[in-house]
Amino acid sequence: MFELSSTLLYIAFVLYLAATVFFAVSITGKKFRDRSGNENNKAGLFGYISALLALITAISYFIIRWMATGHAPVSNMFEYTTALGIAMSLAFVILYPIYKSNYLGLFTMPVVMLIIAYASMFPGEAQPLIPALQSNWLFIHVITTAIGQGILAIGFAAGVLYLVRMIDFTKASKKVKGIEFIMFTLLATIAYVAIGMGFEASGYTATFNYVNEFGEEAQMDYHLPPLVGPNEGELASEQGFSPVVNTPEYIRSNDVNTVLWSIIGGLVLYGGLRFGFRKPVAGLLQPLVRNVNPQTVDEISYRAIAIGFPVFTLGGLIFAMIWAQIAWTRFWGWDPKEVWALITFLFYAAYLHLRLSRGWQGEKSAWLCVIGFALIMFNLIFVNLIIAGLHSYA
Amino acid sequence: MNKVTCECGHKNPYGTYLCESCGKPLKDEGKLANMRYEGVARRSQTYQKSIVDKIWNFFSSVKVGIWIIVLLLVTSSLGTLFPQEMYIPPGEDPSLYYAQEYGILGQLYYDLGFHNLYSSWWYMLLIAALGISLVIASLDRFVPLYRALKNQRVTRHTAFMKKQRVYGMKENSEALDIKALSTSLKERKYNVREEDGNLLAEKGRFARWGPYVNHIGLIIFLIGGMLRFFPGMYLDDYVWIREGETEVISGTEGEYFVQNNQFLVELYDEEDNEIFQEALMREGSPVVSNYQTDATLFKRSTEGSIGSETELEKVKDHSIRVNEPLTFEGISLYQVDYRLNELSTFTFGVEIEEDGEVQALEEVVFEVDLNDPQMYYEFDNGYQIEIIEYFPNFNIDESGEPTTLNRVPDNPRIIFELYPPDADPEEDTGEISLIGVQVNEPLNEDHDHTLRMLDVEFVDVTGLTIRRDHTLPIIIAGGIIFMIGLTQGSYWFHRRIWIQQKDGQLYVAGHANKNWHALKRDIEYLREKHDLPETVDQADEEVKEKDQVNEGGRDKNV
Ligand code: HEM
């Protein structure tokens, strides 16, 4: 049963890819069809059907994994991140019929794929639940939060769409730098996944003996070739080589190494596109989204936030507080994860209030959607993995 | 303050954007009318003289509100840079810990008081400012908005119509069938009002109250949070209970007791959990599946005369687990900590050395309860043993004196004085020795006997948190009201459509507080059935104009 659920997730991934392709065709193929007098471009519909099938398959993955392990698959980084990707596609499937925007599909589906691909870089085996997590509130709280964040993430996709549509790429400006940075981040994530999967498939491991932060001898495994080594690291395996630089003891050097590889990979991808086409990467997309009505996209992103905010508040704060009261004796304890959920909440509250004044609609609002999504990702990745607290899973 | 008189004759308060009666713009605000709060004047715009006005105006400003939110957000994030004081390892001295662990930045963090950021005076002040701002901003807007929406007139000034975002106009060739039109609108769940062949259709007005309801919820929540600091509202205590023992529950005035029947820790077993095998192997160390205290709750019996032995009446049995506290009368007992294998009893015997042969005295065997030792033991064969000093957690203090760190028998040492049958405790000095785990030292001379530790018993101890929080009902009420308001304002929308005939022209205008898309679809639906002018979104027009400026530049590159 467990294997079946993993297979379903692969199938869902392929279907998300199909949806992306269909949405791309629906946009680029339009002129071509127009000439033959056939205005009906079915590709958008196919894209939506693919997205819907992908969602159903992904939810099947979720339910079957739940049955196999006996608990909702939202209890570690792999499971939660995957759930977030699925939730984003759920939000899309609900919002698409309202606005029928294929552009939104083109910008949402790749983000969904990227999130799920990123999730797959974490250990995916079934893990038992520690006592604190053994509660129905686990799934009530986490699933609601994931759905809320998924809807908010649509605001991000629409925001990026808005920016790509509206920014003037002919002149160098801060805005161009900003959107290019977003593109670079997305490309670096792709690079991270690709490099990680490549070396994993080849079974690469380099092992170092090193001295850890407590001054003890220890061993550390690298799954990517070591660009930087651990403190006083000595290569202990056949694979690998001795890097030029060793990091200080308080840094987890294999993680830093992975980040370095991702940045380099991202730079290669970005540089290839940037200098291959001699245009800003987001500028390459701009001709595609020419016909988008910016007013509509702005409204979509705003509605996504307006719909997602209550759901996120319910799951990420209210249900979280109820559970904390039951499991940890107090509904609020200023644990880093709690604080960052509060920050996300405050941020979107500020967004909603800023939108009350007209000057903050459109472009500024789109930037805020991007920052909001960055906060969600920060809370997911950085707070979980680096700022250790009661919540750290990994 | 001067009133502003509109051409329709209505007197508006100073600061009004759109005439309260006919809607004619009184201030030129560009192409589109400012529809926020229906263009009515708020108190903050009308009164600006006294100190009170100034304070009121300050807190009622959304700009100020946003600044407060942003300041809270930024300062909150600073507190997660390093752990808060309550999360540093127990027993660490914070004045050293931060510098040691995080260097100069850590020292700075500590010096600035960020290690207790969320209870610092200025953080509290920010939260108070948020609360005040919420109250004032809401009051400032609610009353005038309520009045304006209640007193809306159907017929509006044409200038009002023209300045709506969704707007259309055409020559009115034939008379409009108002009846049919209003039926169509009612089909779409609009409330329709009619006046001289003009229509006002309105839907979802109650969504407008969403923000006010959610702000009220927030205020109640904040008040609930504040009440925590009043005595008696919040009980946070902690109790250690050994297996088999009963402890009084604080905060119940000695009325309730809890007994720890058994404490257990269970681990996941690789063999039994095939599905988790891989994860358990990778983990390396055992993974806990359960912490549990099998407890019994007792209540002091009200019967029985005063002064007699306290009678305990059983209330209930409950297994306290991490997500399953024992709750009664607003008090909850939580499983939060434990100690396994704490020393509980020593059993001693006495050996005597006679003619070079060591012999155990079978009659002299006794147990010492390390948590509540009996201090004097007498035996049938005349031996007497006294405990002259007991150190549950033995330590030598700075002046070199033996002492105990606390009452927990982690490192128990006992000083015994043994009197053989022929000695008189009143007059003679017995054989004094200090005994502990792996320790047995005579403290005076001429010992014929040796005390031997024969057996040791252990006990598991559970650590429970005792919690009563009288603020919870208020917090819960605030949370529920907040969510209701949030839902009300986010999932419902206020839409209005004005249809007006004047001087042979037919005007249509629409306004939505959000979700313009749905409003446009409603108007589209009307146009399919009725002879209405085509409408445009005037905000789109603005974008198009901007685009034209961009367009030329972009084309060069395609
Ligand atoms: C964390 C605290 C706050 C939260 C969660 C919150 C939440 C909200 C929400 C959800 C809305 C509706 C927005 C929309 O529908 O677009 C709203 C509207 C509003 N809020 Fe707040 N708010 C907060 C603090 C404040 C503060 C401090 C002020 C003070 C200036 C304020 C003033 C307003 C105003 C004036 C409105 C518009 C009301 C209307 O449209 O009739 N809010 N708030």
Side-chain angles (χ1 to χ4, degrees):
Chain A
M1 204 142 76
F2 190 73
E3 282 74 36
L4 172 63
S5 78
S6 309
T7 311
L8 283 170
L9 189 59
Y10 280 120
I11 297 174
F13 190 83
V14 174
L15 285 166
Y16 286 124
L17 180 62
T20 311
V21 172
F22 278 125
F23 282 125
V25 170
S26 79
I27 289 158
T28 51
K30 202 165 243 163
K31 286 187 205 116
F32 170 72
R33 301 236 172 170
D34 274 350
R35 219 172 287 150
S36 65
N38 182 3
E39 271 196 36
N40 246 346
N41 186 339
K42 284 262 168 42
L45 180 65
F46 292 145
Y48 182 64
I49 291 173
S50 305
L52 192 63
L53 288 177
L55 175 66
I56 293 169
T57 319
I59 291 178
S60 314
Y61 140 83
F62 193 84
I63 292 171
I64 290 175
R65 189 176 167 106
W66 189 332
M67 293 185 337
T69 61
H71 59 81
V74 288
S75 66
N76 59 28
M77 280 299 277
F78 163 75
E79 292 177 341
Y80 182 76
T81 312
T82 305
L84 178 61
I86 298 171
M88 187 174 178
S89 73
L90 169 73
F92 170 75
V93 165
I94 293 171
L95 278 171
Y96 179 88
I98 305 179
Y99 292 99
K100 304 228 168 50
S101 168
N102 296 335
Y103 298 98
L104 186 64
L106 181 64
F107 276 68
T108 305
M109 286 299 129
V111 179
V112 170
M113 282 163 59
L114 206 52
I115 293 176
I116 294 178
Y118 177 75
S120 72
M121 303 305 291
F122 292 96
E125 78 263 347
Q127 280 172 335
L129 291 184
I130 57 167
L133 296 181
Q134 294 167 13
S135 164
N136 285 338
W137 286 102
L138 169 67
F139 78 86
I140 299 174
H141 155 60
V142 183
I143 292 176
T144 316
T145 310
I147 292 175
Q149 293 185 336
I151 303 172
L152 294 170
I154 298 283
F156 161 74
V160 172
L161 172 55
Y162 186 95
L163 294 173
V164 170
R165 162 74 172 79
M166 293 304 278
I167 286 176
D168 179 0
F169 287 98
T170 56
K171 296 190 280 267
S173 67
K174 268 198 197 131
K175 293 174 190 174
V176 175
K177 286 202 187 100
I179 188 97
E180 288 301 285
F181 182 72
I182 299 171
M183 294 298 144
F184 166 73
T185 311
L186 296 175
L187 289 170
T189 312
I190 294 175
Y192 165 70
V193 174
I195 294 170
M197 283 188 173
F199 280 101
E200 191 183 312
S202 70
Y204 185 92
T205 317
T207 308
F208 285 89
N209 292 324
Y210 77 112
V211 180
N212 70 12
E213 68 262 43
F214 308 111
E216 296 156 1
E217 302 255 324
Q219 272 204 340
M220 185 184 270
D221 284 343
Y222 278 59
H223 298 289
L224 299 177
L227 302 172
V228 291
N231 181 40
E232 299 181 29
E234 304 257 346
L235 192 66
S237 58
E238 273 183 24
Q239 269 176 324
F241 47 85
S242 293
V244 198
V245 200
N246 285 347
T247 58
E249 70 283 359
Y250 53 83
I251 281 176
R252 267 191 282 177
S253 61
N254 50 359
D255 289 349
V256 171
N257 190 54
T258 307
V259 171
L260 271 180
W261 270 99
S262 312
I263 292 176
I264 293 169
L267 283 175
V268 169
L269 288 179
Y270 178 82
L273 289 168
R274 177 71 183 77
F275 296 106
F277 290 94
R278 303 189 167 278
K279 282 187 81 177
V281 175
L284 294 174
L285 294 171
Q286 194 170 48
L288 279 182
V289 300
R290 254 304 182 38
N291 297 322
V292 172
N293 178 346
Q295 202 75 35
T296 309
V297 181
D298 180 52
E299 193 181 320
I300 294 176
S301 77
Y302 173 47
R303 277 211 74 197
I305 306 288
I307 295 173
F309 182 68
V311 180
F312 172 75
T313 308
L314 188 66
L317 291 171
I318 302 217
F319 289 162
M321 286 192 224
I322 296 175
W323 189 16
Q325 181 72 31
I326 296 170
W328 292 330
T329 82
R330 81 289 183 286
F331 59 87
W332 195 259
W334 300 107
D335 168 76
K337 189 93 195 183
E338 288 170 357
V339 176
W340 279 95
L342 176 69
I343 290 171
T344 312
F345 168 80
L346 290 175
F347 179 84
Y348 281 108
Y351 167 92
L352 290 174
H353 289 88
L354 280 169
R355 272 199 76 106
L356 296 177
S357 78
R358 210 183 290 149
W360 280 84
Q361 300 181 5
E363 198 171 309
K364 282 185 188 161
S365 156
W367 285 115
L368 290 179
C369 290
V370 171
I371 297 171
F373 184 69
L375 276 178
I376 290 175
M377 283 330 223
F378 179 85
N379 200 357
L380 173 66
I381 299 167
F382 202 78
V383 178
N384 268 350
L385 301 183
I386 307 213
I387 306 180
L390 294 169
H391 275 83
S392 14
Y393 307 115
Chain B
M1 198 64 62
N2 292 340
K3 297 252 172 191
V4 184
T5 312
C6 175
E7 64 178 43
C8 73
H10 185 85
K11 286 193 170 59
N12 294 288
Y14 177 80
T16 307
Y17 285 95
L18 303 171
C19 171
E20 284 173 357
S21 176
C22 71
K24 178 176 188 290
L26 301 175
K27 293 185 175 182
D28 194 13
E29 285 271 314
K31 215 167 149 185
L32 296 178
N34 181 355
M35 288 293 285
R36 243 190 204 263
Y37 321 111
E38 307 301 296
V40 295
R42 292 175 271 128
R43 186 189 189 283
S44 57
Q45 290 159 331
T46 316
Y47 302 95
Q48 306 185 327
K49 282 268 145 61
S50 71
I51 289 278
V52 177
D53 296 341
K54 293 235 163 77
I55 293 174
W56 178 278
N57 297 351
F58 179 77
F59 282 112
S60 85
S61 149
V62 176
K63 218 184 239 164
V64 171
I66 293 169
W67 269 111
I68 296 172
I69 295 176
V70 170
L71 280 174
L72 268 174
L73 180 165
V74 172
T75 51
S76 298
S77 71
L78 291 178
T80 62
L81 203 56
F82 303 128
Q84 291 290 295
E85 186 178 1
M86 58 200 156
Y87 290 120
I88 69 173
E92 292 280 354
D93 179 355
S95 61
L96 304 174
Y97 179 80
Y98 287 95
Q100 232 169 52
E101 204 66 11
Y102 308 105
I104 299 179
L105 274 178
Q107 184 63 41
L108 193 67
Y109 193 78
Y110 176 79
D111 290 340
L112 290 172
F114 286 6
H115 65 299
N116 265 324
L117 187 142
Y118 306 108
S119 49
S120 65
W121 60 270
W122 51 269
Y123 194 80
M124 294 286 165
L125 217 59
L126 271 177
I127 292 181
L130 182 79
I132 295 169
S133 180
L134 274 167
V135 173
I136 295 185
S138 302
L139 284 178
D140 192 44
R141 289 163 175 81
F142 175 77
V143 179
L145 180 64
Y146 177 80
R147 266 204 3 232
L149 286 177
K150 194 153 182 257
N151 301 333
Q152 284 186 83
R153 272 183 41 191
V154 176
T155 314
R156 293 296 175 109
H157 197 277
T158 41
F160 173 87
M161 304 288 281
K162 276 183 192 149
K163 285 199 164 195
Q164 293 304 314
R165 216 180 108 174
V166 176
Y167 171 71
M169 189 265 281
K170 66 170 191 167
E171 299 296 316
N172 195 8
S173 38
E174 40 208 278
L176 197 62
D177 185 352
I178 295 286
K179 278 265 136 18
L181 195 57
S182 83
T183 317
S184 305
L185 280 161
K186 279 175 188 154
E187 267 168 30
R188 297 225 122 185
K189 304 248 162 48
Y190 275 84
N191 284 319
V192 186
R193 275 164 62 203
E194 203 188 314
E195 184 184 276
D196 310 331
N198 301 327
L199 273 189
L200 164 59
E202 188 174 11
K203 177 172 168 180
R205 188 198 282 182
F206 106 116
R208 291 295 284 273
W209 311 127
Y212 303 93
V213 175
N214 88 42
H215 288 167
I216 290 170
L218 266 182
I219 293 162
I220 295 175
F221 187 97
L222 291 179
I223 291 173
M226 223 171 57
L227 286 179
R228 147 110 20 128
F229 300 109
F230 285 77
M233 293 304 278
Y234 190 69
L235 170 73
D236 179 10
D237 212 336
Y238 198 78
V239 62
W240 286 101
I241 316 176
R242 299 182 183 86
E243 278 180 337
E245 293 197 352
T246 306
E247 294 282 342
V248 64
I249 300 171
S250 52
T252 64
E253 275 144 27
E255 210 185 331
Y256 284 96
F257 295 80
V258 60
Q259 178 175 323
N260 173 3
N261 305 316
Q262 188 192 1
F263 174 78
L264 44 102
V265 177
E266 289 167 322
L267 302 174
Y268 281 102
D269 185 0
E270 278 176 35
E271 308 293 301
D272 288 357
N273 292 286
E274 210 177 305
I275 185 129
F276 300 134
Q277 228 162 29
E278 201 179 323
L280 289 170
M281 307 247 286
R282 198 165 56 85
E283 193 67 32
S285 51
V287 177
V288 173
S289 70
N290 186 24
Y291 300 108
Q292 177 171 326
T293 305
D294 292 330
T296 307
L297 179 70
F298 291 103
K299 188 174 182 188
R300 196 173 54 197
S301 172
T302 43
E303 293 152 31
S305 56
I306 298 167
S308 68
E309 272 289 285
T310 323
E311 293 259 328
L312 292 183
E313 229 173 75
K314 178 169 154 181
V315 181
K316 62 175 165 184
D317 288 321
H318 183 88
S319 295
I320 305 176
R321 309 169 74 217
V322 172
N323 270 293
E324 294 163 28
L326 164 63
T327 301
F328 65 97
E329 304 206 344
I331 295 192
S332 295
L333 303 180
Y334 294 89
Q335 183 69 57
V336 288
D337 210 347
Y338 64 94
R339 280 199 301 262
L340 293 182
N341 301 329
E342 190 180 286
L343 293 169
S344 81
T345 347
F346 286 159
T347 307
F348 294 98
V350 174
E351 287 168 357
I352 186 162
E353 198 179 327
E354 267 174 16
D355 313 329
E357 222 174 290
V358 177
Q359 220 180 335
L361 291 176
E362 292 194 2
E363 288 122 286
V364 188
V365 172
F366 62 101
E367 279 185 6
V368 177
D369 179 348
L370 295 171
N371 293 303
D372 184 18
Q374 192 183 320
M375 301 308 274
Y376 174 74
Y377 303 81
E378 192 174 8
F379 300 92
D380 290 345
N381 57 4
Y383 276 90
Q384 297 176 58
I385 294 173
E386 202 178 333
I387 294 180
I388 38 183
E389 197 90 58
Y390 170 47
F391 308 101
N393 201 348
F394 183 79
N395 190 35
I396 304 282
D397 70 12
E398 282 152 18
S399 52
E401 292 293 311
T403 175
T404 185
L405 287 174
N406 47 37
R407 304 307 304 164
V408 181
D410 276 342
N411 181 22
R413 299 277 169 97
I414 307 171
I415 301 178
F416 286 108
E417 188 166 8
L418 178 143
Y419 305 98
D422 50 2
D424 177 1
E426 299 287 319
E427 316 227 317
D428 301 326
T429 306
E431 299 174 10
I432 302 177
S433 44
L434 171 74
I435 301 188
V437 178
Q438 313 262 347
V439 178
N440 199 337
E441 297 168 15
L443 296 183
N444 56 5
E445 287 170 16
D446 297 335
H447 279 218
D448 295 328
H449 303 80
T450 314
L451 274 162
R452 281 269 171 250
M453 199 183 290
L454 301 179
D455 197 9
V456 179
E457 273 173 46
F458 299 94
V459 69
D460 296 337
V461 191
T462 187
L464 303 178
T465 283
I466 304 170
R467 168 89 76 236
R468 186 191 53 214
D469 191 347
H470 284 317
T471 68
L472 281 184
I474 302 169
I475 300 263
I476 291 169
I480 291 174
I481 294 173
F482 175 73
M483 275 318 297
I484 290 174
L486 203 53
T487 311
Q488 185 181 347
S490 305
Y491 298 149
W492 277 269
F493 320 98
H494 184 212
R495 301 168 212 172
R496 275 172 295 174
I497 300 170
W498 294 272
I499 296 169
Q500 201 150 312
Q501 308 179 77
K502 194 176 182 196
D503 307 331
Q505 313 274 29
L506 179 60
Y507 300 90
V508 175
H511 180 77
N513 72 330
K514 57 182 70 165
N515 198 357
W516 291 85
H517 186 77
L519 174 75
K520 288 181 205 166
R521 271 204 313 218
D522 287 344
I523 293 180
E524 213 40 49
Y525 170 84
L526 286 183
R527 256 174 35 81
E528 276 166 23
K529 302 179 109 182
H530 304 276
D531 185 26
L532 289 177
E534 221 168 305
T535 52
V536 288
D537 183 338
Q538 304 203 69
D540 275 351
E541 310 274 294
E542 279 181 17
V543 173
K544 271 192 205 127
E545 279 164 27
K546 242 204 222 152
D547 250 10
Q548 239 118 49
V549 182
N550 277 347
E551 201 73 16
R554 201 184 302 120
D555 267 343
K556 270 187 277 171
N557 265 344
V558 173

